Amino acid sequence: MNKKRAVFLDRDGTLNRDVGYPADWTQVHLYPFAVDAVRRIREAGLAAVVVTNQEGVGRGFFGRAELERLHGEFAAAFARAGAPIDALYYCPHAALDGAGGPGCACAKPAPGLGLRAAAELGLELAGSYMVGDKASDILFGRAIGAIPILVLTGYGPRALAELERRGLRPEAVAGDLAAAVDWILEHEGRGPGRRKGTAP
Ligand SMILES: [Mg+2]
Ligand SMILES: [Zn+2]
């Protein structure tokens, strides 16, 4: 049997508004399309796996226990809505501008979180997808051999400019996660191709 593939999802700026360093669930504002996007991913037979850099831990803004409590609430909100997230992986280390902190192999764009998810969940990374709003998400997607998609929520517009400057291209650019999932379903050959806001 073929291994399952995944849609890796960035958290802040992709599933919820990026408000800096949310320390508890009351500061997390899910985008209105987030739950439905996860549901559609799972209905397509793909795993929904959140991969997030949370250097607020390494910087001492909040502890691991607080972050894990927040992630418990995060996962519960999706589960309650009938769209459970398959898994959530985070890097707690303080990184320098997404470049990966000293001694840390898990801050995106380093592939650590994706490799760990693949090993623990038995995922096939080739043909998986990565959706995020920063250049580090796109580079992470490439690093794990997945198909990277940039969303224009959060830091997306700035990331697009940065990627262009560096001559790097996401596989697709989507207005938001809902449009990214449209693109994925179309790419999977399942969707009706009714979408807007994406470019090659
Ligand atoms: Mg983000
Ligand atoms: Zn790390």
Side-chain angles (χ1 to χ4, degrees), residues 91-93 104-107:
C91 162
H93 309 114
C104 163
C106 58

Side-chain angles (χ1 to χ4, degrees), residues 10-14 18 108 132-134 137 155:
D10 170 51
R11 197 190 84 180
D12 302 328
T14 301
D18 194 330
K108 296 175 290 182
D133 70 319
K134 287 190 178 173
D137 293 311
Y155 286 86

Side-chain angles (χ1 to χ4, degrees), residues 57-77:
V57 176
R59 291 186 177 200
F61 296 159
F62 41 82
R64 255 180 124 115
E66 280 171 279
L67 180 63
E68 289 184 1
R69 196 153 50 235
L70 183 157
H71 282 158
E73 305 248 31
F74 194 91

